[in-house]
Amino acid sequence: MANTKTSTMSFYPNQDTFLIAVDCIIFGFKDNKISLLAQPRFLEPFKNGLSLLGGFVKENESVEQAASSVLSRLTGLENIYMEQVGMYGALERDPGDRVVSCAFYALIDIESQDEQLLEEHKAFWINIDRANELIFDHPRMVADAIKLLRQKAAIQAVGFNLLPEKFTLSQLQALYEAIYYQVFDIRNFRKKMLSMDFLEKLNEMDKSGSKKGAYYYRFRDEKVQNDQYPSRF
Amino acid sequence: MANTKTSTMSFYPNQDTFLIAVDCIIFGFKDNKISLLAQPRFLEPFKNGLSLLGGFVKENESVEQAASSVLSRLTGLENIYMEQVGMYGALERDPGDRVVSCAFYALIDIESQDEQLLEEHKAFWINIDRANELIFDHPRMVADAIKLLRQKAAIQAVGFNLLPEKFTLSQLQALYEAIYYQVFDIRNFRKKMLSMDFLEKLNEMDKSGSKKGAYYYRFRDEKVQNDQYPSRF
DNA sequence: ACAAAAGTGTTAAGCATACACCCATGG
DNA sequence: CCATGGGTGTATGCTTAACACTTTTGT
């Protein structure tokens, strides 16, 4: 506990202070699988262990800013949808030192991100089923993030952040099947998706996936859904 | 920023450290309204302002422990259902000093709690519609907590934490109406509640609310619900 | 006898589910 | 011409939502 200091000249003297980290679960969608960015840890403890992308919060930035800057440093992307997963504050979560961490998840289009930057930071995509190889309590963070993502996807058009701007309904279905880890009936899926009016059909086809070709769709972002709860009584 | 120190002898040298607070949104149910515990703030800034119950995290406790100890110090209750609301880390959220706060909400039976202790700490119950009188970002924390509570109550038998061990269906309905801030049809409500088999009907009646008397019910705690998502396709 | 809360059932509409075949095209 | 993925409609059961009257009993 070497770096748990005590505050002095302050409104709140004689209180302990802590290192605060942010850890980012950066989801992408590739080969019909949900993946996330990981990185070999570059210092002890667990040097070279598989780690989420993170960093320490600095004095002059908010916790959210710290998370965004991790994300943009690693992917080159700005203004990405991020959501707080929660705070992880167990005593021994980091055997190196007492560190309290705040986890965020982000959804990015895997294609629009900067390969170069990833390589510079030795970061790479791993499949979510490898999340339990991560160090510290990172596996738990990922599990919590997936839970939130599923909840969110059930009521909001969240998945569009993970796809390129133009996508086919088959891609969209594959994405939802990856998120929920289950298969959906193609007719029911399309019916439901089209009945919510998120989607705009384009006059353009993707001929890469089939001979016949599939129409591209695009997300109407005017149609951002409000929060809602499942109906009850 | 007087107490933002820098770590020294550590695995993570030269990093900034922070004060970490916990703030507890302690919900109770009284007079058919959801209320929460508040307290006049006892130091500057905002001395005497209306504040959530909170405290600083200490070196030798987890963040969760810090929250539980705030709760038990103020109410005398142990082993109470608490859930993390989130971390609040904006730069200027506390004008006194840089403090990062983690909010939790708890549900307690207002009757089972220690009046004495509340008075000692000058804590008192306020109606949730007064939450916007709270200082700092506490109004936002309360709003976020209510949102979580609503989500939770839609899929889990969460409300029982707020009622005495024995309660009538009318009380239960009043509770749900307070949580969701809307009225439910009495027949539909009872039908649905009884169809989930949370409830055990007792052979005892409450004669205080009516001439006829109403049966008491009790929560079967074997029947704790698992997490689930709204159905989709 | 009446006021006040407790308790009870049915119907209609909407939503989720299950299910199978034709289409267009490149090779 | 055929293999591959794209695209479509209907019937059934379940859940929700809307709705009004009877029961009990203390005063």
Side-chain angles (χ1 to χ4, degrees), chain A residues 170 186-187 190-191 209-210 212-215 233:
Chain A
S170 307
I186 177 181
R187 288 158 288 185
R190 296 167 94 97
K191 205 187 318 162
S210 71
K212 185 179 176 184
Y215 280 104
F233 303 107

Side-chain angles (χ1 to χ4, degrees), chain B residues 63-79:
Chain B
V63 177
E64 284 71 19
Q65 282 161 5
S68 299
S69 87
V70 167
L71 183 65
S72 67
R73 186 166 65 244
L74 272 285
T75 64
L77 300 171
E78 307 272 354
N79 294 117

Side-chain angles (χ1 to χ4, degrees), chain A residues 127-207:
Chain A
N127 199 284
I128 36 166
D129 52 26
R130 289 186 57 201
N132 44 18
E133 298 172 27
L134 291 161
I135 58 174
F136 298 160
D137 49 3
H138 291 185
R140 149 109 289 148
M141 291 177 181
V142 173
D144 292 344
I146 291 171
K147 203 159 128 183
L148 281 182
L149 174 60
R150 286 182 177 161
Q151 268 174 224
K152 194 106 189 159
I155 55 174
Q156 287 194 13
V158 105
F160 301 92
N161 300 289
L162 291 157
L163 292 171
E165 204 191 345
K166 295 181 297 186
F167 51 85
T168 67
L169 287 180
S170 307
Q171 285 176 278
L172 186 62
Q173 181 166 356
L175 170 61
Y176 272 79
E177 292 182 342
I179 291 177
Y180 289 106
Y181 204 71
Q182 64 183 253
V183 302
F184 300 118
D185 179 86
I186 177 181
R187 288 158 288 185
N188 295 337
F189 180 85
R190 296 167 94 97
K191 205 187 318 162
K192 178 148 178 178
M193 275 297 157
L194 294 171
S195 76
M196 319 178 176
D197 47 5
F198 299 150
L199 295 174
E200 182 179 0
K201 188 176 187 171
L202 302 180
N203 261 336
E204 205 181 337
M205 295 189 99
D206 169 35
K207 311 282 284 182

Side-chain angles (χ1 to χ4, degrees), chain B residues 23-232:
Chain B
D23 287 297
C24 298
I25 298 112
I26 302 170
F27 288 119
F29 181 59
K30 192 175 190 175
D31 301 331
N32 289 350
K33 296 269 172 74
I34 301 283
S35 349
L36 56 91
L37 278 177
Q39 195 178 37
R41 189 169 153 90
F42 55 92
L43 45 69
E44 294 293 347
F46 286 110
K47 184 161 180 175
N48 297 319
L50 199 59
S51 171
L52 289 176
L53 278 43
F56 287 104
V57 178
K58 298 192 190 326
E59 181 182 329
N60 59 355
E61 64 184 1
S62 71
V63 177
E64 284 71 19
Q65 282 161 5
S68 299
S69 87
V70 167
L71 183 65
S72 67
R73 186 166 65 244
L74 272 285
T75 64
L77 300 171
E78 307 272 354
N79 294 117
I80 291 299
Y81 174 77
M82 290 190 93
E83 183 138 330
Q84 190 185 127
V85 177
M87 173 138 189
Y88 295 77
L91 272 172
E92 301 295 340
R93 55 172 296 279
D94 182 334
D97 227 319
R98 179 75 196 270
V99 179
V100 167
S101 182
C102 190
F104 290 82
Y105 78 85
L107 305 176
I108 72 170
D109 168 18
I110 223 162
E111 306 300 337
S112 73
Q113 148 271 139
D114 189 334
E115 284 288 343
Q116 198 72 26
L117 279 171
L118 285 195
E119 283 171 29
E120 280 172 32
H121 291 85
K122 301 201 192 338
F124 47 88
W125 292 96
I126 64 170
N127 198 286
I128 34 163
D129 51 27
R130 290 187 57 203
N132 43 19
E133 299 171 27
L134 291 162
I135 58 174
F136 297 161
D137 50 3
H138 292 184
R140 150 109 289 148
M141 291 177 179
V142 174
D144 292 345
I146 290 172
K147 203 159 129 184
L148 281 181
L149 174 59
R150 286 183 179 161
Q151 269 175 224
K152 194 106 189 159
I155 55 173
Q156 286 193 13
V158 103
F160 301 94
N161 299 290
L162 291 156
L163 292 171
E165 203 190 347
K166 298 182 295 190
F167 50 85
T168 66
L169 288 181
S170 307
Q171 286 175 278
L172 186 63
Q173 182 167 355
L175 170 61
Y176 272 79
E177 293 182 342
I179 291 176
Y180 289 106
Y181 204 73
Q182 65 183 249
V183 303
F184 300 118
D185 178 86
I186 176 180
R187 286 158 290 183
N188 293 338
F189 180 84
R190 295 165 96 97
K191 207 186 315 159
K192 178 147 179 180
M193 275 296 158
L194 294 171
S195 76
M196 317 177 177
D197 47 5
F198 300 148
L199 294 173
E200 183 178 1
K201 186 177 187 171
L202 303 180
N203 261 335
E204 205 181 336
M205 294 189 100
D206 168 36
K207 310 282 284 184
S208 69
S210 70
K211 326 285 166 95
K212 186 178 175 185
Y215 280 102
Y216 277 121
Y217 286 76
R218 176 169 75 180
F219 175 48
R220 304 177 198 259
D221 45 15
E222 326 91 72
K223 291 286 181 182
V224 183
Q225 285 285 90
N226 292 330
D227 288 340
Q228 51 188 242
Y229 310 106
S231 66
R232 288 170 311 278

